[in-house]
Each structure stands twice: as structure tokens, then as C-alpha cells.
Amino acid sequence: MDLSYTPAEERFRDELRAWLDAHQPGAAPQALAEWVAYGKRWQRALYEAGWCGVHWPREYGGRGASLVEQIIFQEEMARAGTPQLINLAGLTMGGPVLIAHGTEAQKRRHLQAILAADEIWCQGFSEPNAGSDLAALKTRAVLDGDSFVVTGQKVWTSFARYADWCMLLVRTDPQAPKHKGITFLLVDMHSPGVTVRPLRQITGEEDFNEVFFEDVRVPRANVIGALNGGWDIAIATLMHERQTLTFSRQLQSRVALNRLLALARRYPRGRPAAAEPRLRQKLAAAYIDSEAMRYTALRNLTRVLRGGTPGPEGSIEKLFWSEMYQRMLDTAVEMTGPFAQLVADSAGAVENGLWPHLMLYSRGRTIAAGSSEIQRNIIAERVLGLPRAK
Ligand SMILES: Cc1cc2nc3c(=O)[nH]c(=O)nc-3n(C[C@H](O)[C@H](O)[C@H](O)COP(=O)(O)OP(=O)(O)OC[C@H]3O[C@@H](n4cnc5c(N)ncnc54)[C@H](O)[C@@H]3O)c2cc1C
């Protein structure tokens, strides 16, 4: 693993850092519609300045730079504390999967629109009876002339309410073994027959949705990969999600940890919280976890740089990060004690409800993109080569 950067990579970082310092988007609005418009404006500004899709091919609107520069982009975004890009599913899953498996027409149709946030994407995989056992999915697509007719229900579809396109897994051959009869379809969320109903989370936000499909017509040209060959594409998508998304999230969680350490030095618990032995131990453990995570992520990155694609090793990153992040936020809430339940206190130490909000939101991190139990199974079977779980 080479941890140094070339002069060209350092120049890229300096240029980006200067741009980010000069173009901070300001505080995000609370109301959903305004927040979406704000997120789209921010991503478009990045795209127009050439920072979005750093590693994507130039012919589809990307910068054509290396994966290392893409990582520098993520590091600098985390350092600057900028909002995350709104088209997360498109950038971290849809785009990479289209680049690898899409037709030329699909790439031309979608990639640039993903980068510029002209069209927002969501991921329609999970169903009420198909989460960990994703291949049990029942949403049906029946070919009728040049289009499919889609019927069924998805659930936990993040941000579906303002999405324009959905990466939908559908059953196209009910007679085939369950992994062999699935197709990966791109569905226009504005099609007649699509209904989205928001679900409220423990944080009070409504990121999640149920999505219902009633006789929705989808052109046959919207299949990604082969008909009935969707399972392999779904697995490739999940590996991108586990690895690429976790890489940027571990950078963001390091920023949160630095903020927590700064707070611990001044937070009053008779003496500063950082001087209290038990909390001190927990904060040190959080720092050690964060460093271990960083090197694990860099080791996986080295493997990808040497020609690999995201593989089952991404499950190690996803598992370790999601659990260490929860431990760190539990410590934050323990440290701020009863004040953690307030939105703000007079000393500003509660930081506008930041810690309880992050702590509550983090509960979903050990479930999304495959629960911790499922990641442990993947690591056992596909990384360590242990016998399959019964
Ligand atoms: C924040 C968040 C965002 C999400 N966004 C999306 C999205 O955009 N699109 C989408 O399609 N889905 C999304 N999901 C859904 C997510 O993929 C599922 O919740 C997840 O796959 C688990 O499925 P489930 O909820 O049906 O739980 P189940 O599969 O019913 O699991 C219930 C429990 O049983 C355990 N379990 C199940 N099978 C096994 C096994 N074989 N061995 C050991 N333990 C097992 C699980 O670990 C879990 O503890 C999101 C979820 C969260 C939390």
C-alpha cells in the first residue's frame, strides 16, 4: 500500500480545496422540497465546475481522473463539511453499474443526467418479504410486446419521493430457480401506476418509502444486462454500495469523531469530559477504531487500484464501520447525558441536537445494504472460505 500522493494529485487536492472554500452552499433548508432543490443546486454547481464524477469517463460527462483523485474528492468534501451529494444512489450504484453493464444508449441517456443531478435515482430492491433474502422478491414483470408490465411492491426505498428513476429488481421467470428468474430494470418513477408512500423513521424524518407498482409499463430497452440475468447485476450494485459508499461514510464519521473529541475537551462534567477516565477510554477506543477502519478501507482501495472490482471484502468495511460508528455515537450521547435529549442548550454544547440525531440515524446503518448478520455470513463464506451457513 503506497500512502503518498503524486505532485499532480496534490495539485488536484489544492485546486479542489480552494474551490470548496470559495463555494460553500450555506445551511441546508429544513422543508423537504426546498432541501431537494438546494441539494440539486449544490450537485449541479460541483458538476459544472468539473468535480462530479471525478473517476467517470469523460465521454459521459466525468472528469476521467484516477480513483485516487476520486478518493481525494471524498476526503476534501468530508474535510470541508459540505452536504453529501443528493444523487447518492445514482452516483454510487446506478452510474458504476451502467458503466460496467449498460448499453451505449443507456450510458448516453443516463450518466450525464446523474452527474448533473438533473435526474435523481433510487434503489428498489427490498420488499416486505424480501430483505436479507433478496432473491425471494415477488414484484413481477411480464413482457407484452416491446414493454414489460410491472406489478408489485417495494419497501424502505430511500428518497423515492423525489426520485426520477428506480433501479428495480423484478421477477421475469417465476418457473426458474429463484436467483435465475430476476431482471434488473430501470423504471421511470413518473410512469402511470407508480405510487410512493413515505414512512417515518425514529428520527422523525421521512427518507423511507413504500413504492407500489400497478400495471406500470416499462420499455424492454430499460433492462440492464441480460433478461433473467439481474441477480449478478444486483450483487455488483450491492458491492458498490458496501464499498464505495462506506469509504465516504467512514471519512464523514472521522469528521464527526474530531468534533466529538473537541467537544469532550470543553464539555463540563465537573471537569472536562475528556478528563473522566471511563469516557477517556471510550474516546480513545473510538479513535483506534477509526484508524483501523481507515487502513482497512485503504487496503481494499489498493486492491481495486490493482485492477480488481469491489468484491466481498467490502463487507468487512461495511460491517466494521457501521458498528464502530454506533459505538462512537453511543459514547457521544452518554457524554452529553440528559442534555442529549435537548435540541440545544444555552452553552451550545449539545450542538443543536446533532448527537442524538446521528445516534438515532445510525441504528439503520447496521441494517441498510445488508444487516451485520448477513455481512458476517458473506465474510465467513466468500472471504474466509468457511462452509455455508445452514
Ligand atoms: C437506512 C436504510 C436505508 C435503506 N434503503 C434501502 C433502499 O434504498 N432500497 C432498498 O431496496 N432497501 C433499502 N433498505 C432496506 C434494507 O436493504 C433491508 O432492511 C435489509 O436488507 C434487511 O432486510 P429486512 O429489513 O427485510 O430484514 P430481515 O431480512 O427480515 O431480517 C430481520 C433480522 O433477521 C436477521 N437475518 C435474516 N436472515 C439471516 C440469516 N440468513 N442469518 C442470520 N441472520 C439473519 C437479520 O440480520 C435481521 O436482524 C434500507 C434499510 C435501511 C435501514
Side-chain angles (χ1 to χ4, degrees):
M1 192 196 305
D2 181 1
L3 295 175
S4 56
Y5 295 99
T6 64
E9 287 160 357
E10 291 294 3
R11 271 197 305 281
F12 173 86
R13 184 190 296 281
D14 291 344
E15 205 187 314
L16 172 59
R17 192 173 281 195
W19 190 91
L20 287 173
D21 287 346
H23 294 85
Q24 282 286 332
Q30 293 291 319
L32 184 71
E34 287 162 37
W35 180 81
V36 171
Y38 161 92
K40 285 185 168 187
R41 274 199 307 279
W42 170 233
Q43 188 176 322
R44 176 166 268 281
L46 281 159
Y47 168 71
E48 284 173 350
W51 302 118
C52 220
V54 170
H55 183 46
W56 290 19
R58 274 179 182 277
E59 69 255 49
Y60 305 119
R63 195 181 174 102
S66 72
L67 193 54
V68 173
E69 280 151 321
Q70 172 65 38
I71 298 303
I72 294 174
F73 171 78
Q74 291 175 350
E75 284 175 350
E76 289 304 309
M77 290 280 283
R79 183 200 64 85
T82 55
Q84 72 174 17
L85 297 180
I86 190 164
N87 206 0
L88 208 58
L91 289 167
T92 57
M93 293 177 261
V97 161
L98 274 183
I99 290 168
H101 303 281
T103 62
E104 189 54 29
Q106 288 167 341
K107 291 179 195 176
R108 299 238 166 254
R109 168 65 188 83
H110 291 291
L111 290 176
Q112 199 150 353
I114 291 175
L115 289 178
D118 287 341
E119 292 173 339
I120 305 296
W121 282 41
C122 66
Q123 180 193 28
F125 283 18
S126 307
E127 297 184 4
N129 289 308
S132 301
D133 185 12
L134 183 57
L137 63 94
K138 289 202 166 60
T139 296
R140 200 173 71 232
V142 178
L143 205 47
D144 177 28
D146 267 352
S147 55
F148 290 95
V149 179
V150 177
T151 317
Q153 187 203 335
K154 296 291 170 176
V155 71
W156 315 126
T157 321
S158 301
F159 309 118
R161 257 203 297 171
Y162 59 81
D164 301 291
W165 288 92
C166 182
M167 296 171 264
L168 193 72
L169 289 184
V170 288
R171 186 155 302 284
T172 35
D173 184 354
Q175 310 307 328
K178 67 178 183 178
H179 294 88
K180 305 276 183 202
I182 293 171
T183 296
F184 194 108
L185 267 188
L186 281 189
V187 177
D188 180 344
M189 291 292 281
H190 308 291
S191 309
V194 177
T195 308
V196 179
R197 286 197 206 139
L199 294 167
R200 180 163 292 198
Q201 298 132 223
I202 194 171
T203 54
E205 291 154 318
E206 292 177 346
D207 298 350
F208 283 147
N209 302 270
E210 296 177 296
V211 186
F212 298 87
F213 299 87
E214 286 170 80
D215 295 332
V216 177
R217 293 200 84 88
V218 181
R220 186 177 180 155
N222 288 12
V223 172
I224 308 291
L227 182 66
N228 297 320
W231 185 250
D232 291 344
I233 314 274
I235 295 300
T237 314
L238 287 169
M239 284 178 179
H240 277 289
E241 183 178 12
R242 284 167 192 157
Q243 192 154 351
T244 322
L245 210 51
T246 304
F247 196 96
S248 58
R249 286 192 172 139
Q250 58 94 11
L251 292 169
Q252 288 156 8
S253 65
R254 181 56 169 262
V255 172
L257 174 61
N258 289 341
R259 200 165 168 173
L260 179 63
L261 293 174
L263 179 63
R265 289 189 188 99
R266 65 185 162 84
Y267 196 80
R269 285 182 61 118
R271 51 189 162 174
E276 193 176 295
R278 229 172 49 79
L279 272 172
R280 214 179 150 74
Q281 292 288 323
K282 288 192 177 185
L283 291 167
Y287 181 82
I288 293 164
D289 277 353
S290 178
E291 280 290 276
M293 176 72 223
R294 192 163 81 87
Y295 287 111
T296 305
L298 288 171
R299 196 177 60 233
N300 277 343
L301 174 66
T302 305
R303 203 179 44 76
V304 174
L305 281 173
R306 291 189 181 141
T309 46
E313 296 80 4
S315 288
I316 303 173
E317 265 175 76
K318 199 273 164 177
L319 173 68
F320 188 73
W321 167 75
S322 56
E323 296 195 345
M324 74 161 215
Y325 187 52
Q326 287 180 356
R327 283 194 297 275
M328 176 187 96
L329 292 169
D330 287 348
T331 302
V333 169
E334 183 189 335
M335 191 179 96
T336 44
F339 295 104
Q341 295 173 47
L342 301 178
V343 168
D345 71 352
S346 54
V350 178
E351 306 202 78
N352 289 330
L354 174 76
W355 300 111
H357 178 269
L358 290 180
M359 189 274 277
L360 291 174
Y361 207 98
S362 78
R363 306 326 286 174
R365 298 301 192 200
T366 42
I367 304 171
S371 67
S372 286
E373 289 77 13
I374 297 303
Q375 305 306 336
R376 286 192 168 87
N377 280 345
I378 294 171
I379 294 166
E381 290 164 18
R382 301 194 52 200
V383 180
L384 300 175
L386 298 176
R388 282 185 69 82
K390 288 257 162 49

